[in-house]
Amino acid sequence: MFNITEMKPCIQKIISFGPDIGLILGSGLGAYGEKLENAEYIEYKNIPGFPVSHVEGHKNRFIIGTLYGKKVIAMQGRFHYYEGIEPHLLALPVRIMKMAGVRTVILTNAAGGLNPDFVPGDLMVITDHINLSGINPLIGGNEDAFGPRFPDMTKAYHPEYCEKIIKEAEEMGIRLRQGIYVMNTGPSYETPAEIRMMRLLGGDAVGMSTVPEVVAARHCGIHVIGISCITNMAPGILDQPLCHDEVIETAEKVKHKFECILDRIIGN
Ligand code: 6GU
């Protein structure tokens, strides 16, 4: 098991900065990190034992800086289990944020729509999740310094923040959905039969990330806000095949709407 305290000297810059808000940016949204003022960069490769993401467009660095007067740390390039990164390593970024004093983490992702009322380009506030991935970043010896062996996952997605975000989006004239995020490992997309199952289970969107970070964040008491960009409908919902280019294309199209919401959340 990796010993996180050994990383401390390499993340001293982050710890001294003392960010309040953590941002983990999903596919197509990494550029938001560039908005931070007086930014400094900490490359993952300079943190010993830290994984590196090979997903295209992910920059593999933390950015620390201020935005609307708040101290923010953004993770530009997140890790996925499908890359072959061990589950316990998926908890590291959130734990570094915890050591630096982060109280709230905002997670974004690209997801497939399960709810037939959704359309590609919709944004969805995550109100809860279903972990179908079969992995959990807390498997292994418990890191007692971070949290309990059996952490509670009720209200994992801060209910008052969810409500507030929905209200503010309304004020801004942005249609914001809400729903349950289902995590599957990927990298293959689901079969139509699997999608029917997920829908029956009560899922509204499906993706390949976020849940491990949420579990790690709740373990150590960090508040969570999750927002999915519905980049495509899940296989079988529409009678058409799914390709990754569509995911990237839609994420690019709704980037502005997504950024407006992030601005408002961080500002308030
Ligand atoms: Cl349909 N499935 C999964 N697992 N991840 C996705 C997706 C679908 N669409 C975007 N990301």
Side-chain angles (χ1 to χ4, degrees):
M1 187 63 63
F2 196 80
N3 184 353
I4 193 157
T5 47
E6 283 172 11
M7 278 183 181
K8 251 186 165 168
C10 305
I11 57 168
Q12 200 50 54
K13 207 196 254 180
I14 300 176
I15 293 174
S16 340
F17 178 65
D20 300 308
I21 299 174
L23 258 179
I24 299 183
L25 303 164
S27 302
L29 260 181
Y32 189 81
E34 317 285 345
K35 286 183 76 159
L36 302 194
E37 291 149 18
N38 304 313
E40 290 199 62
Y41 302 92
I42 298 98
E43 306 269 343
Y44 299 163
K45 65 176 192 297
N46 296 332
I47 307 174
F50 210 71
V52 167
S53 169
H54 299 289
V55 175
E56 236 182 273
H58 284 201
K59 288 206 164 126
N60 285 298
R61 62 189 186 185
F62 284 112
I63 309 180
I64 50 176
T66 53
L67 196 55
Y68 305 109
K70 308 284 188 332
K71 288 198 267 184
V72 177
I73 174 167
M75 191 187 181
Q76 235 179 357
R78 72 131 54 92
F79 308 134
H80 301 87
Y81 180 60
Y82 66 72
E83 297 176 71
I85 294 168
E86 287 177 69
H88 74 274
L89 294 176
L90 303 174
L92 274 182
V94 161
R95 287 181 170 174
I96 287 176
M97 291 179 183
K98 176 70 184 180
M99 289 197 291
V102 164
R103 292 160 49 88
T104 304
V105 67
I106 304 169
L107 296 136
T108 72
N109 61 48
L114 297 169
N115 186 327
D117 292 341
F118 290 2
V119 293
D122 274 346
L123 299 180
M124 180 189 94
V125 177
I126 304 174
T127 54
D128 205 346
H129 73 228
I130 298 175
N131 184 5
L132 289 187
S133 71
I135 62 157
N136 191 304
L138 305 180
I139 288 176
N142 185 52
E143 298 279 348
D144 296 332
F146 285 98
R149 172 75 290 189
F150 302 108
D152 179 35
M153 288 293 141
T154 53
K155 300 187 179 175
Y157 299 81
H158 200 284
E160 284 98 60
Y161 289 169
C162 286
E163 262 175 47
K164 197 161 181 230
I165 292 163
I166 290 163
K167 252 192 218 132
E168 298 203 346
E170 224 168 73
E171 281 170 27
M172 294 164 79
I174 294 174
R175 180 175 66 180
L176 197 52
R177 311 289 201 158
Q178 48 180 311
I180 312 278
Y181 177 85
V182 183
M183 183 198 171
N184 207 15
T185 62
S188 53
Y189 289 118
E190 295 71 24
T191 63
E194 288 165 338
I195 292 301
R196 282 194 297 275
M197 174 192 74
M198 290 176 178
R199 184 68 199 131
L200 277 171
L201 292 178
D204 294 292
V206 54
M208 306 176 192
S209 67
T210 306
V211 167
E213 292 109 321
V214 171
V215 169
R218 293 310 301 140
H219 178 243
C220 63
I222 296 180
H223 296 314
V224 169
I225 295 170
I227 303 181
S228 294
C229 170
I230 308 299
T231 47
N232 50 274
M233 293 314 285
I237 302 264
L238 306 175
D239 189 23
Q240 61 188 43
L242 171 54
C243 70
H244 184 63
D245 291 346
E246 182 189 356
V247 173
I248 299 300
E249 208 176 286
T250 313
E252 184 61 34
K253 272 190 206 149
V254 298
K255 209 158 96 179
H256 179 68
K257 191 164 69 168
F258 218 145
E259 291 180 353
C260 288
I261 291 199
L262 284 178
D263 283 346
R264 188 81 166 235
I265 294 172
I266 294 168
N268 293 347

